[in-house]
Amino acid sequence: MSLNWTSIVFTIIAFLILYWLLTRYAFGPLFSVMEKRRQLVLQQMNEAAQTREQATAYVEEQKQALQQARKEAYDIIEQSKQTGNKQAEQIITQAKDEAVRLKDEAVREITSERNKAVAELRSEVGKASVQIASKLIQKEIKEDQVQGELVDQYLKEVGGKA
């Protein structure tokens, strides 16, 4: 086996021409396409990272909004409780005031009725005294001073009791 130098030289020359042609016409566009693809992949990765960050930020915003809503709901509930307690106290106070007013009115009515009853009783006692006196006068027509004193004394006693 002998080495064929001419064949090696032609092979090297053919390889160099092929390499130059590939570099000139194939590798440039191929590397250009690969670079574009690399940039596209990097851009998509950046967009994915931004989207992930936005999603994380959105989740945090939603958590804060939920916490704020819970706080507002708690505040509303507390305010409702306080308002309810105030209304209950107002109702109780009004009921007590109404009870006192009704009691005072009842006491006034009772006093008025008692005064009317006393007045009627005095009137009846006065009438009864007059009837007794007239019967006494009819029974004894004497105008004794003792009988007059008894009638006056009786009238005083009846008038004092009423």
Side-chain angles (χ1 to χ4, degrees), residues 19-58:
Y19 181 76
W20 179 76
L21 285 174
L22 285 175
T23 303
R24 175 122 171 112
Y25 297 107
F27 289 148
L30 181 63
F31 287 145
S32 172
V33 168
M34 289 178 66
E35 181 61 26
K36 286 180 184 177
R37 177 69 181 155
R38 187 182 71 81
Q39 288 178 358
L40 179 65
V41 168
L42 286 176
Q43 180 183 359
Q44 288 176 346
M45 287 175 56
N46 289 337
E47 287 176 1
Q50 287 176 352
T51 303
R52 190 177 312 115
E53 289 173 6
Q54 288 174 350
T56 304
Y58 182 72

Side-chain angles (χ1 to χ4, degrees), residues 114-129 158-159 161-162:
R114 185 186 60 159
N115 290 339
K116 285 180 186 178
V118 167
E120 283 182 32
L121 186 60
R122 282 186 181 159
S123 173
E124 292 294 322
V125 167
K127 288 178 185 177
S129 297
V158 170
K161 289 182 182 176

